[in-house]
Amino acid sequence: MALVNEHFLKLPNNYLFADVAKKVKIFRTMNPRVNVITLGIGDVTQPLCPAVRQAMHLAVDEMGTEEGFRGYGPEQGYDFLRDAILKHDFLARGIHLDADEIFVNDGAKSDTGNIQELVRWDNSISVTDPIYPVYIDSNVMIGRAGTIEDGRWSNVFYIPCTADNNFIPQIPKQRVDIIYLCYPNNPTGIALTKQQLRQWVNYALHNDALIFFDAAYEAYIQDDDVPHSIYEIKGARKCAIEFHSYSKTAGFTGLRCGYTVVPHEVTASTLNGERIHLNQLWYRRQCTKFNGTSYITQRGAEATYSPEGKQQVRETINYYMENARHMKDVLTKLGVEVYGGQNAPYLWMKTPNGASSWRYFEEMLYGAHVVCTPGVGFGPSGEGYVRLTAFNSHEQTEIALDRLSKWLG
Ligand code: PLP
């Protein structure tokens, strides 16, 4: 008899976005004539930019020739993309990394979920709260998170980020082995300054802890004192693994490409105190479980670094950020308590009169026909908030704001 991994059974039945989709579907079935606008799910709406499309067309044609055909590629990514990453994402910011510290992947979700395989099941983990649910759920699946009670996992150390601390996570007094950080943050839309992030790197170095740093939204950073990479902080290459994604940067949510940085200096210990380089382990893991991102997709990713590609990608990001600014402006004028939206495409809205996240989600859906995401789905400190995204078109965002103005007014 095969025995199931019972840790999976501890997971709440549905993934947050599936729950949201189900409720929206019920509403649409009951109200087929109503055009619902979603400011909820974090998918992008703007098409791939011309530079990416052109590079991918060329790559397809290349693959159609005998000389240009490629089969399995290197699991860690083609050199052309790794070199472009090194040059544009790091060297341009004064960060020196080696190509074999970059692992190209099929998006940040896989690696932020998989990275925990490198460390023992009994490490203590900590997350800022609210947070992207993948970090916790992937730890639940192997039994590291314990059991859930009142929306909290018994073995997870939560670092609350609320209006009381301006959504800036406070350094824990106790030591933890692993810390997940995501900045700019999904869902609060808040970014950390260099000085604030430095405190975390120092904490990790002092406590011999690891930081898993998710930089999926770094392209949205507007402020100069906000780091685009944790490696802008001295010492981070000894304690941090970083995740990047082309999803929100260049509209690759449907194409799938990102990369993970595992510096040579990052180590974890065996029970005997031997230090093991995580770069080697991740290399080994990827060679076994991952067969690379498609050549065509990697050519598309490479094109985001060409002069035209950079400009086109920037234009789309500016487009979304214009939505974010406008949303924040309108909502603030309506007297709504709203945060984020400055260095990230997310706005974090306090529900009026202490309404619960799910209740307010339903009220907004039925009252304004606008979809948000209930904050509690991102963790206990998200209760009493909802998340709005800036990823819709200007036109749809404008209509949604108009509806919200009437509804709230
Ligand atoms: N990390 C964060 C914080 C995200 O919000 C998301 C997607 O919403 C991802 C990672 C996943 O990105 P990808 O599309 O690259 O898998």
Side-chain angles (χ1 to χ4, degrees), residues 188-219:
T188 63
I190 299 291
L192 291 188
T193 63
K194 226 176 237 183
Q195 200 198 347
Q196 286 161 342
L197 187 55
R198 188 174 295 124
Q199 292 177 22
W200 284 96
V201 171
N202 290 341
Y203 171 86
L205 292 171
H206 186 70
N207 289 284
D208 198 359
L210 284 175
I211 297 177
F212 294 154
F213 189 77
D214 189 343
Y217 296 97
E218 67 81 18

Side-chain angles (χ1 to χ4, degrees), residues 107-109 132 135 182 186 214 216-217 245 247-248 256 346:
K109 189 183 212 173
Y132 181 52
Y135 312 148
C182 169
N186 175 15
D214 189 343
Y217 296 97
S245 167
S247 283
K248 310 299 160 68
R256 313 304 308 144
Y346 294 122

Side-chain angles (χ1 to χ4, degrees), residues 143-176:
R144 195 181 286 117
T147 50
I148 192 168
E149 205 172 306
D150 295 335
R152 306 176 81 88
W153 292 92
S154 55
N155 293 347
V156 174
F157 183 75
Y158 291 85
I159 304 166
C161 297
T162 61
D164 293 340
N165 55 21
N166 294 319
F167 304 94
I168 303 297
Q170 303 300 297
I171 302 285
K173 295 210 171 25
Q174 70 190 76
R175 82 164 292 288
V176 288

Side-chain angles (χ1 to χ4, degrees), residues 4 7 12-14 47 77 84 87 97 99 128 133 159 192 194 210 238 287 295 346 358:
V4 73
H7 299 306
N13 263 346
N14 275 325
K87 183 167 164 205
L97 291 169
T128 60
I159 304 166
L192 291 188
K194 226 176 237 183
L210 284 175
K238 288 201 184 112
C287 288
Y295 173 70
Y346 294 122
W358 275 110

Side-chain angles (χ1 to χ4, degrees), residues 328-349:
K328 192 159 180 181
D329 200 37
V330 170
L331 291 169
T332 306
K333 282 193 183 127
L334 286 166
V336 173
E337 225 180 290
V338 63
Y339 306 89
Q342 166 117 355
N343 291 292
Y346 294 122
L347 276 84
W348 193 236
M349 175 177 170

